[in-house]
Amino acid sequence: VNTTYKNPLTTITAASLFTALQWPVLVPLNWLMIPLSPLFWLSNWKSYYNGSLQITSRFTSFTGSQSWNQLNHVSLLAAKAWPAVIARGNYAMTQFNEEHSLPAINIPVLIIAGDADRITKRSASERMHELIPLSKLSIFPGGHQQLLECHNRVMPAIANFAGSLNFDSPVKLVADAHPIA
């Protein structure tokens, strides 16, 4: 759901800008966040309480049909997240690329994308669909948090996909296809 198979900076809106800023600005900023986590954490809470975090969350993660509770929930999660953990995760994502692994996935996979997702462009989901043999792609109106914002469309799609699976036939797991030496 609203994800990518490689460095998210390459599949975000304005990817050329973000990839240009990755090494000179974003990676050093993330490393700086680790020792300065208490200050960043306080800043996050200040942003939450003054409403600017909700404004940012609204424009980065939603399309406008979210409820106040959904918006506040996502903003609260962002405020609670410890900055050092986020920074290490952000750095790790710059090293992420599983494009070569996708064709080896031999189980049914449902890929859900938002047509207005600013964080992960729908082209990332389309590429995963091209590479995963037994995948099904569903694109719904919505942003990065469409699981919340468009739950009335996304949840039935997940239920229908799960209901269509045949659990009587044996499925060879990806882990079985590549035994550990």
Side-chain angles (χ1 to χ4, degrees):
V1 177
N2 303 93
T3 192
T4 186
Y5 57 94
K6 62 181 184 173
N7 179 351
L9 296 177
T10 65
T11 58
I12 192 171
T13 301
S16 57
L17 172 65
F18 284 104
T19 53
L21 295 174
Q22 176 177 318
W23 293 107
V25 177
L26 300 175
V27 168
L29 182 60
N30 277 284
W31 285 115
L32 187 61
M33 281 174 59
I34 295 169
L36 298 178
S37 280
L39 296 175
F40 280 94
W41 188 72
L42 288 172
S43 178
N44 289 345
W45 279 106
K46 180 182 172 189
S47 296
Y48 175 78
Y49 284 116
N50 72 22
S52 62
L53 189 53
Q54 287 85 345
I55 292 169
T56 301
S57 295
R58 158 56 185 98
F59 287 105
T60 59
S61 299
F62 294 100
T63 61
S65 61
Q66 76 288 337
S67 70
W68 168 252
N69 285 339
Q70 292 167 341
L71 179 59
N72 195 55
H73 174 73
V74 169
S75 301
L76 184 60
L77 291 176
K80 287 181 176 182
W82 190 247
V85 173
I86 299 299
R88 286 182 178 99
N90 288 344
Y91 176 72
M93 288 188 299
T94 66
Q95 310 301 306
F96 178 64
N97 188 343
E98 287 299 322
E99 186 169 15
H100 65 281
S101 301
L102 299 180
I105 299 173
N106 62 355
I107 58 173
V109 174
L110 176 61
I111 301 166
I112 296 177
D115 68 351
D117 188 343
R118 294 176 190 98
I119 303 296
T120 306
K121 292 188 293 188
R122 113 186 211 179
S123 59
S125 296
E126 291 166 344
R127 180 67 178 149
M128 288 189 297
H129 178 58
E130 289 172 13
L131 294 172
I132 300 173
L134 301 175
S135 67
K136 178 182 185 229
L137 176 62
S138 294
I139 300 171
F140 297 104
H144 197 65
Q145 292 292 339
Q146 71 171 322
L147 193 58
L148 297 175
E149 185 178 19
C150 305
H151 59 88
N152 56 336
R153 292 184 180 121
V154 174
M155 299 313 278
I158 294 170
N160 289 338
F161 177 76
S164 73
L165 299 177
N166 179 2
F167 292 105
D168 293 332
S169 66
V171 175
K172 187 173 183 174
L173 299 177
V174 174
D176 295 338
H178 303 287
I180 299 172

mmCIF file of all heavy atoms in Angstrom, residues 9 12 14 16-17 40 62-63 68 75-76 93 95 98 106-107 119 121-122 127 129 134 158 161 172 176:
data_model
loop_
_atom_site.group_PDB
_atom_site.id
_atom_site.type_symbol
_atom_site.label_atom_id
_atom_site.label_comp_id
_atom_site.label_asym_id
_atom_site.label_seq_id
_atom_site.Cartn_x
_atom_site.Cartn_y
_atom_site.Cartn_z
ATOM 1 N N LEU A 9 13.448 8.555 -2.473
ATOM 2 C CA LEU A 9 13.731 9.862 -3.061
ATOM 3 C C LEU A 9 13.670 9.821 -4.583
ATOM 4 O O LEU A 9 13.535 10.858 -5.230
ATOM 5 C CB LEU A 9 15.099 10.366 -2.603
ATOM 6 C CG LEU A 9 15.236 10.641 -1.107
ATOM 7 C CD1 LEU A 9 16.661 11.065 -0.770
ATOM 8 C CD2 LEU A 9 14.232 11.673 -0.636
ATOM 9 N N ILE A 12 9.449 9.869 -5.450
ATOM 10 C CA ILE A 12 8.637 10.914 -4.832
ATOM 11 C C ILE A 12 8.362 12.007 -5.875
ATOM 12 O O ILE A 12 9.090 12.130 -6.854
ATOM 13 C CB ILE A 12 9.355 11.504 -3.590
ATOM 14 C CG1 ILE A 12 8.436 12.380 -2.762
ATOM 15 C CG2 ILE A 12 10.625 12.251 -3.996
ATOM 16 C CD1 ILE A 12 9.033 12.805 -1.415
ATOM 17 N N ALA A 14 8.783 15.419 -7.451
ATOM 18 C CA ALA A 14 9.998 16.252 -7.492
ATOM 19 C C ALA A 14 11.248 15.419 -7.181
ATOM 20 O O ALA A 14 12.177 15.875 -6.511
ATOM 21 C CB ALA A 14 9.893 17.441 -6.558
ATOM 22 N N SER A 16 13.768 14.571 -8.972
ATOM 23 C CA SER A 16 15.058 15.105 -9.423
ATOM 24 C C SER A 16 15.622 16.093 -8.401
ATOM 25 O O SER A 16 16.832 16.115 -8.157
ATOM 26 C CB SER A 16 14.940 15.749 -10.800
ATOM 27 O OG SER A 16 13.965 16.769 -10.790
ATOM 28 N N LEU A 17 14.776 16.891 -7.790
ATOM 29 C CA LEU A 17 15.224 17.814 -6.747
ATOM 30 C C LEU A 17 15.716 17.055 -5.519
ATOM 31 O O LEU A 17 16.803 17.322 -5.002
ATOM 32 C CB LEU A 17 14.099 18.780 -6.356
ATOM 33 C CG LEU A 17 14.374 19.672 -5.142
ATOM 34 C CD1 LEU A 17 15.521 20.631 -5.433
ATOM 35 C CD2 LEU A 17 13.113 20.423 -4.749
ATOM 36 N N PHE A 40 14.963 18.050 18.027
ATOM 37 C CA PHE A 40 14.034 17.796 16.926
ATOM 38 C C PHE A 40 12.699 17.281 17.455
ATOM 39 O O PHE A 40 11.636 17.630 16.948
ATOM 40 C CB PHE A 40 14.633 16.798 15.926
ATOM 41 C CG PHE A 40 15.605 17.426 14.971
ATOM 42 C CD1 PHE A 40 16.969 17.419 15.245
ATOM 43 C CD2 PHE A 40 15.168 18.014 13.792
ATOM 44 C CE1 PHE A 40 17.866 17.987 14.360
ATOM 45 C CE2 PHE A 40 16.060 18.579 12.900
ATOM 46 C CZ PHE A 40 17.417 18.577 13.185
ATOM 47 N N PHE A 62 -2.455 13.605 2.265
ATOM 48 C CA PHE A 62 -3.882 13.475 1.980
ATOM 49 C C PHE A 62 -4.266 14.303 0.756
ATOM 50 O O PHE A 62 -3.491 15.130 0.283
ATOM 51 C CB PHE A 62 -4.702 13.950 3.190
ATOM 52 C CG PHE A 62 -4.558 13.097 4.409
ATOM 53 C CD1 PHE A 62 -3.706 13.482 5.441
ATOM 54 C CD2 PHE A 62 -5.269 11.920 4.550
ATOM 55 C CE1 PHE A 62 -3.575 12.703 6.582
ATOM 56 C CE2 PHE A 62 -5.140 11.130 5.679
ATOM 57 C CZ PHE A 62 -4.289 11.522 6.700
ATOM 58 N N THR A 63 -5.496 14.090 0.279
ATOM 59 C CA THR A 63 -5.989 14.846 -0.879
ATOM 60 C C THR A 63 -7.106 15.818 -0.525
ATOM 61 O O THR A 63 -7.571 16.541 -1.389
ATOM 62 C CB THR A 63 -6.499 13.901 -1.979
ATOM 63 O OG1 THR A 63 -7.579 13.124 -1.461
ATOM 64 C CG2 THR A 63 -5.390 13.015 -2.490
ATOM 65 N N TRP A 68 -10.854 15.164 10.305
ATOM 66 C CA TRP A 68 -9.937 15.796 11.261
ATOM 67 C C TRP A 68 -9.246 14.722 12.103
ATOM 68 O O TRP A 68 -8.053 14.815 12.379
ATOM 69 C CB TRP A 68 -10.664 16.789 12.162
ATOM 70 C CG TRP A 68 -9.775 17.199 13.304
ATOM 71 C CD1 TRP A 68 -9.903 16.845 14.616
ATOM 72 C CD2 TRP A 68 -8.585 17.996 13.223
ATOM 73 N NE1 TRP A 68 -8.862 17.370 15.346
ATOM 74 C CE2 TRP A 68 -8.038 18.088 14.514
ATOM 75 C CE3 TRP A 68 -7.925 18.628 12.179
ATOM 76 C CZ2 TRP A 68 -6.885 18.784 14.797
ATOM 77 C CZ3 TRP A 68 -6.758 19.323 12.467
ATOM 78 C CH2 TRP A 68 -6.255 19.395 13.765
ATOM 79 N N SER A 75 -0.621 13.118 12.208
ATOM 80 C CA SER A 75 0.246 14.158 12.771
ATOM 81 C C SER A 75 0.765 13.756 14.143
ATOM 82 O O SER A 75 1.937 13.995 14.471
ATOM 83 C CB SER A 75 -0.520 15.481 12.860
ATOM 84 O OG SER A 75 -0.960 15.870 11.582
ATOM 85 N N LEU A 76 -0.078 13.151 14.940
ATOM 86 C CA LEU A 76 0.340 12.699 16.271
ATOM 87 C C LEU A 76 1.405 11.606 16.168
ATOM 88 O O LEU A 76 2.387 11.609 16.915
ATOM 89 C CB LEU A 76 -0.875 12.200 17.063
ATOM 90 C CG LEU A 76 -0.626 11.773 18.500
ATOM 91 C CD1 LEU A 76 -0.069 12.928 19.328
ATOM 92 C CD2 LEU A 76 -1.920 11.247 19.122
ATOM 93 N N MET A 93 16.955 3.960 3.804
ATOM 94 C CA MET A 93 16.151 3.959 2.585
ATOM 95 C C MET A 93 16.930 4.464 1.378
ATOM 96 O O MET A 93 16.628 4.085 0.244
ATOM 97 C CB MET A 93 14.869 4.774 2.774
ATOM 98 C CG MET A 93 13.857 4.077 3.666
ATOM 99 S SD MET A 93 12.244 4.877 3.731
ATOM 100 C CE MET A 93 12.626 6.478 4.398
ATOM 101 N N GLN A 95 19.751 3.567 0.617
ATOM 102 C CA GLN A 95 20.508 2.401 0.151
ATOM 103 C C GLN A 95 19.596 1.297 -0.392
ATOM 104 O O GLN A 95 20.066 0.261 -0.838
ATOM 105 C CB GLN A 95 21.328 1.820 1.316
ATOM 106 C CG GLN A 95 22.161 2.832 2.066
ATOM 107 C CD GLN A 95 23.149 3.539 1.170
ATOM 108 O OE1 GLN A 95 23.930 2.900 0.489
ATOM 109 N NE2 GLN A 95 23.096 4.861 1.151
ATOM 110 N N GLU A 98 15.253 -3.013 -4.284
ATOM 111 C CA GLU A 98 14.877 -4.427 -4.390
ATOM 112 C C GLU A 98 14.283 -4.765 -5.752
ATOM 113 O O GLU A 98 13.597 -5.771 -5.899
ATOM 114 C CB GLU A 98 13.895 -4.789 -3.272
ATOM 115 C CG GLU A 98 14.544 -4.867 -1.915
ATOM 116 C CD GLU A 98 15.640 -5.919 -1.835
ATOM 117 O OE1 GLU A 98 15.500 -7.008 -2.441
ATOM 118 O OE2 GLU A 98 16.660 -5.651 -1.166
ATOM 119 N N ASN A 106 6.816 -15.250 -6.048
ATOM 120 C CA ASN A 106 5.908 -16.133 -6.780
ATOM 121 C C ASN A 106 4.650 -16.456 -5.975
ATOM 122 O O ASN A 106 4.137 -17.564 -6.030
ATOM 123 C CB ASN A 106 6.644 -17.399 -7.223
ATOM 124 C CG ASN A 106 7.154 -18.206 -6.038
ATOM 125 O OD1 ASN A 106 7.031 -17.774 -4.889
ATOM 126 N ND2 ASN A 106 7.719 -19.360 -6.308
ATOM 127 N N ILE A 107 4.177 -15.488 -5.248
ATOM 128 C CA ILE A 107 2.903 -15.602 -4.544
ATOM 129 C C ILE A 107 2.037 -14.414 -4.974
ATOM 130 O O ILE A 107 2.559 -13.391 -5.418
ATOM 131 C CB ILE A 107 3.079 -15.609 -3.003
ATOM 132 C CG1 ILE A 107 3.788 -14.343 -2.535
ATOM 133 C CG2 ILE A 107 3.829 -16.863 -2.554
ATOM 134 C CD1 ILE A 107 3.865 -14.191 -1.027
ATOM 135 N N ILE A 119 3.980 11.412 -1.980
ATOM 136 C CA ILE A 119 5.146 10.796 -1.341
ATOM 137 C C ILE A 119 5.693 9.649 -2.187
ATOM 138 O O ILE A 119 6.899 9.494 -2.330
ATOM 139 C CB ILE A 119 4.799 10.295 0.084
ATOM 140 C CG1 ILE A 119 4.275 11.436 0.945
ATOM 141 C CG2 ILE A 119 5.989 9.617 0.736
ATOM 142 C CD1 ILE A 119 5.282 12.535 1.214
ATOM 143 N N LYS A 121 5.053 8.163 -5.961
ATOM 144 C CA LYS A 121 4.335 8.271 -7.233
ATOM 145 C C LYS A 121 3.770 6.915 -7.650
ATOM 146 O O LYS A 121 4.368 5.871 -7.377
ATOM 147 C CB LYS A 121 5.258 8.807 -8.323
ATOM 148 C CG LYS A 121 5.666 10.246 -8.118
ATOM 149 C CD LYS A 121 6.423 10.802 -9.300
ATOM 150 C CE LYS A 121 7.765 10.145 -9.464
ATOM 151 N NZ LYS A 121 8.610 10.774 -10.476
ATOM 152 N N ARG A 122 2.669 6.967 -8.314
ATOM 153 C CA ARG A 122 2.005 5.739 -8.742
ATOM 154 C C ARG A 122 2.876 4.937 -9.702
ATOM 155 O O ARG A 122 2.716 3.719 -9.819
ATOM 156 C CB ARG A 122 0.635 6.104 -9.289
ATOM 157 C CG ARG A 122 0.368 5.933 -10.689
ATOM 158 C CD ARG A 122 -0.980 6.477 -11.068
ATOM 159 N NE ARG A 122 -1.510 5.700 -12.160
ATOM 160 C CZ ARG A 122 -2.668 5.908 -12.699
ATOM 161 N NH1 ARG A 122 -3.452 6.859 -12.269
ATOM 162 N NH2 ARG A 122 -3.086 5.155 -13.675
ATOM 163 N N ARG A 127 5.536 -0.057 -11.702
ATOM 164 C CA ARG A 127 6.771 -0.808 -11.965
ATOM 165 C C ARG A 127 6.796 -2.110 -11.156
ATOM 166 O O ARG A 127 7.186 -3.162 -11.675
ATOM 167 C CB ARG A 127 8.006 0.048 -11.638
ATOM 168 C CG ARG A 127 9.315 -0.642 -11.882
ATOM 169 C CD ARG A 127 9.554 -0.899 -13.352
ATOM 170 N NE ARG A 127 10.866 -1.523 -13.535
ATOM 171 C CZ ARG A 127 11.144 -2.369 -14.491
ATOM 172 N NH1 ARG A 127 10.243 -2.673 -15.401
ATOM 173 N NH2 ARG A 127 12.337 -2.902 -14.578
ATOM 174 N N HIS A 129 4.234 -3.788 -10.242
ATOM 175 C CA HIS A 129 3.253 -4.652 -10.906
ATOM 176 C C HIS A 129 3.855 -5.306 -12.150
ATOM 177 O O HIS A 129 3.606 -6.482 -12.419
ATOM 178 C CB HIS A 129 2.006 -3.842 -11.251
ATOM 179 C CG HIS A 129 0.964 -4.609 -11.983
ATOM 180 N ND1 HIS A 129 0.388 -5.758 -11.498
ATOM 181 C CD2 HIS A 129 0.390 -4.391 -13.191
ATOM 182 C CE1 HIS A 129 -0.498 -6.210 -12.366
ATOM 183 N NE2 HIS A 129 -0.511 -5.391 -13.410
ATOM 184 N N LEU A 134 2.725 -12.491 -10.154
ATOM 185 C CA LEU A 134 1.347 -12.760 -9.745
ATOM 186 C C LEU A 134 0.703 -11.557 -9.054
ATOM 187 O O LEU A 134 -0.165 -11.717 -8.201
ATOM 188 C CB LEU A 134 1.307 -13.974 -8.814
ATOM 189 C CG LEU A 134 1.854 -15.278 -9.407
ATOM 190 C CD1 LEU A 134 1.884 -16.381 -8.351
ATOM 191 C CD2 LEU A 134 1.021 -15.709 -10.606
ATOM 192 N N ILE A 158 -8.863 -5.080 -0.540
ATOM 193 C CA ILE A 158 -8.022 -6.046 0.190
ATOM 194 C C ILE A 158 -8.826 -7.296 0.509
ATOM 195 O O ILE A 158 -8.361 -8.424 0.315
ATOM 196 C CB ILE A 158 -7.433 -5.408 1.461
ATOM 197 C CG1 ILE A 158 -6.453 -4.292 1.084
ATOM 198 C CG2 ILE A 158 -6.756 -6.463 2.334
ATOM 199 C CD1 ILE A 158 -5.986 -3.444 2.256
ATOM 200 N N PHE A 161 -9.386 -9.324 -2.677
ATOM 201 C CA PHE A 161 -8.148 -9.992 -3.079
ATOM 202 C C PHE A 161 -7.895 -11.209 -2.191
ATOM 203 O O PHE A 161 -7.613 -12.301 -2.688
ATOM 204 C CB PHE A 161 -6.972 -9.022 -2.995
ATOM 205 C CG PHE A 161 -5.653 -9.648 -3.325
ATOM 206 C CD1 PHE A 161 -5.301 -9.930 -4.634
ATOM 207 C CD2 PHE A 161 -4.751 -9.977 -2.315
ATOM 208 C CE1 PHE A 161 -4.081 -10.507 -4.946
ATOM 209 C CE2 PHE A 161 -3.539 -10.558 -2.614
ATOM 210 C CZ PHE A 161 -3.203 -10.832 -3.932
ATOM 211 N N LYS A 172 4.723 -22.136 -3.140
ATOM 212 C CA LYS A 172 6.138 -22.160 -2.794
ATOM 213 C C LYS A 172 6.543 -20.748 -2.401
ATOM 214 O O LYS A 172 6.415 -19.808 -3.180
ATOM 215 C CB LYS A 172 6.976 -22.629 -3.975
ATOM 216 C CG LYS A 172 8.413 -22.829 -3.635
ATOM 217 C CD LYS A 172 9.167 -23.460 -4.771
ATOM 218 C CE LYS A 172 10.590 -23.690 -4.331
ATOM 219 N NZ LYS A 172 11.356 -24.423 -5.312
ATOM 220 N N ASP A 176 11.718 -20.233 0.145
ATOM 221 C CA ASP A 176 12.023 -21.600 -0.304
ATOM 222 C C ASP A 176 12.760 -21.604 -1.632
ATOM 223 O O ASP A 176 13.516 -22.515 -1.929
ATOM 224 C CB ASP A 176 10.741 -22.422 -0.452
ATOM 225 C CG ASP A 176 10.048 -22.645 0.874
ATOM 226 O OD1 ASP A 176 10.720 -22.547 1.930
ATOM 227 O OD2 ASP A 176 8.837 -22.909 0.862
#
